[in-house]
Amino acid sequence: MSDLRAFRPLVPGTQPEYDADVYGSTKFRAPKQQLLQVPTSLTEATGPQFSPSRYPSIIDISKVESGEAQGQRIVVEGQVTDEDGRPVPHTMIEIWQANSTGRYHHDGDQHDAPLDPHFQGAGRVFTDENGMYRYISIKPGAYPWRNHHNAWRPNHIHYSLFGPGFATRLITQMYFDGDPLLKYDPIYMCIADAGSRERLVAGFDLDLTMPEWALGYRFNIVLRGRNATPFEDSNDHGDH
Amino acid sequence: MSITTASQTIGPYWHLLPFEGWNDLTRFGATGDVITITGRITDGTGAAAGDCCVEIWQPRPEVENFDGFGRAATDKDGGFSFTTLRPEPVPGVHGRLGNVQQAPHVGLTIMARGLMKALQTRIYFEGDAGHDQDPVLNLIEDPARRATLVAKKTGAAAYHLDIVLQGAGETVFFAI
Ligand SMILES: [Fe+2]
């Protein structure tokens, strides 16, 4: 039996707005109309479920068959929970990133930095029964973009998560502790709430670090939590 | 209580994720009433949005080898296409909207450079019964805006929806 409880509304200020002047590409893509608040039904409360049998894991993207990627090897571990701290088990996480020089293995990326024949830059992992995930990669380089004069993206790894429902779909980016570019980055800075920004920054973790092999970073992710009772319609607040 | 992790844009390089073939929801062997859904996404200037990640989700039908999920990339002209099984009506919503069954639809998620958060909406299908009673369509008072969620029938089993991210004819997007 599917869990049909609605998801709680997001806390104001903790998510970026669509319209963000500092990020130029939002100008003609951010919707101008107010979003339509819709109730949660089967379509929103449930969502696609993935299994490694059809979507095989790619846990170590620091190498390909022909050899090892250049750069600082890292291991990233974390837990995926909901807002009530309950682990989100067996959920798929997709990651993608630039190589150590700050270049994506993508035709659209013409940044003058070398491609690495041993780095493709995409992985896929599943959380275990406790919501824990782990993968191995190399630390991505910073790269320039044309948003404004001398604009550079801080080092980051892109994340895609589905969670239990259509309404829990999340695309985000993981940043690295101590990166001096963070405070100049419109994509990071357009989240109003400082705490919500800081939670996108992975901390260095000596316990995760593997001797003579890889630096460890911890990055936990929180997906939306559900209302306490089934069919509680978040729309109803203030209506009666 | 913890706070949900902040969304960030999917950016222009998301194609490093797999998507080729993922727009065919019958790829694992599901059989049934196969339909195609095409669409085209444009921005506030009328230009094609050629780098979007488009996903659909449908909880019905519940048949073997069908997980109800597909992903497509928009091409240079903003176009995308899915092959899937015809969605069925799904149970309605309790509460103030009554428990009226919902007309067949698929959930649609659009992610792109310039979108700090995913956009979510639904695609309904021209000619299906139940649009007049549908509890979600009926939340939209303006018939022109309601029509932004209804794909035009272009063949016996083919549908097309134009999606406008911003401005005149802007598609109705959801907060869920
Ligand atoms: Fe990036």
Side-chain angles (χ1 to χ4, degrees), chain A residues 166, chain B residues 54-56 106-110 119-123 163:
Chain A
F166 179 70
Chain B
V54 184
E55 293 177 352
I56 59 171
V106 301
L108 179 73
T109 304
I110 300 170
L119 287 171
Q120 294 190 302
T121 185
R122 286 181 175 186
I123 303 177
I163 295 165

Side-chain angles (χ1 to χ4, degrees), chain A residues 96-98 104 143 153-154 156-158 173, chain B residues 9-13:
Chain A
W96 70 104
Q97 63 169 86
Y104 283 88
Y143 60 86
R153 293 297 331 276
H156 62 276
I157 298 177
H158 295 267
Q173 300 181 25
Chain B
T9 180
I10 201 168
Y13 304 127

